[in-house]
């Protein structure tokens, strides 16, 4: 895979791309990541990339010319018939929400182009006539698209074949099956009086798998119940949830009765 990044601040990517999994993925040829300075395509002697908005208002807007020129330069080495198949993604708060499913979707493309927005945003003609997708990593505002681009790069690259030591690891990640991941333990077996669950030391692989599935399901039910709407569950797993919900109602019943009961006199 190749990932091209267009940014006003290419130095932002220098350290993250030179460490850990992203570094190894590039060294082994699993991914090629190229970072392009938008200033190189800026206008005039001062390499201008932004301007005041038509209609007034505060802030600056990124001009269309440098962005179009940068992307067209980046894609100039791609065959004309292949350019239409390359996603050109604007990192923007108005984009679709980035999820694990989107990461899997993007990992299947041989090439991606990421555009980091800044200031009050980009000229609307960039959205209408250049980008093919807009992505947001969450309902919050960043100073620019660079952190979002790094999040997407990291999430996508780790899904590429051969990047992780265990090829099955991404399949068991949190969100991979619309469930949060089960708890993990390592040595020592006892630390400050806290023991690793005995079942994990039993060597009974079927029982361990069942325990992990139950813990994954319970953690999701407690912390992200919205994910259960998309999860594929067995009848037994649905029975677990029904039992937990009944237990919760039993615990809450005295509190609720205390709040709604008649006032003392």
């Amino acid at each position: 895979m190749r990932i091209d990044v267009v940014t006003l601040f290419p130095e932002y990517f220098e350290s993250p791309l030179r460490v850990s999994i992203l570094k190894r993925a590039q060294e082994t040829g699993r991914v090629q990541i190229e970072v392009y300075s938008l200033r190189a395509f800026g206008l005039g002697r001062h390499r201008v990339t932004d301007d005041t908005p038509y209609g007034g208002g505060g802030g600056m807007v990124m001009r269309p010319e440098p962005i179009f020129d940068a992307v067209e330069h980046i894609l100039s080495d791609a065959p004309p018939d292949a350019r239409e198949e390359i996603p050109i993604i604007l990192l923007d708060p108005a984009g679709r929400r980035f999820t694990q499913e989107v990461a899997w979707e993007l990992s299947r493309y041989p090439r991606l182009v990421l555009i980091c927005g800044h200031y009050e945003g980009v000229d609307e003609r960039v959205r209408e006539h250049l980008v093919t997708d807009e992505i947001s990593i969450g309902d919050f505002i960043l100073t620019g698209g660079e952190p979002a681009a790094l999040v997407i790069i990291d999430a996508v690259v780790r899904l590429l074949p051969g990047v992780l030591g265990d090829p099955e690891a991404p399949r068991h990640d949190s969100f991979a099956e619309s469930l949060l991941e089960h708890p993990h333990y390592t040595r020592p077996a006892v630390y400050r009086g806290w023991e690793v669950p005995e079942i994990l030391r039993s060597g009974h692989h079927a029982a361990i798998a069942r325990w992990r599935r139950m813990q994954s399901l319970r953690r999701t039910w407690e912390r992200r119940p919205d994910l259960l709407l998309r999860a594929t569950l067995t009848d037994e797993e649905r029975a677990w949830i029904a039992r937990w919900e009944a237990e919760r109602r039993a615990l809450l019943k005295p509190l609720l009765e205390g709040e709604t009961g008649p006032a003392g006199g």
Side-chain angles (χ1 to χ4, degrees), residues 217 228 231-243 245:
L217 190 59
L228 295 176
T232 301
L233 306 177
T234 65
D235 290 340
E236 181 185 32
E237 290 165 351
R238 295 183 189 279
W240 293 344
I241 294 174
R243 185 176 75 247
E245 290 177 345

Side-chain angles (χ1 to χ4, degrees), residues 40-112:
F41 301 90
L43 306 175
R45 184 163 57 93
H46 298 290
R47 299 296 184 183
V48 175
T49 60
D50 60 299
D51 211 330
T52 54
Y54 277 112
M60 304 292 282
V61 176
M62 296 179 72
R63 294 181 62 126
E65 308 100 302
I67 300 176
F68 272 85
D69 289 346
V71 173
E72 289 169 356
H73 169 77
I74 290 169
L75 297 183
S76 62
D77 63 349
D81 57 339
R83 294 176 194 172
E84 295 183 359
E85 304 300 322
I86 300 174
I88 303 172
I89 302 168
L90 175 66
L91 288 313
D92 189 271
R96 62 176 174 143
R97 178 73 66 87
F98 187 64
T99 64
Q100 189 67 16
E101 288 81 5
V102 176
W104 276 109
E105 171 194 326
L106 298 181
S107 72
R108 298 184 181 100
Y109 286 97
R111 188 170 181 180
L112 304 173

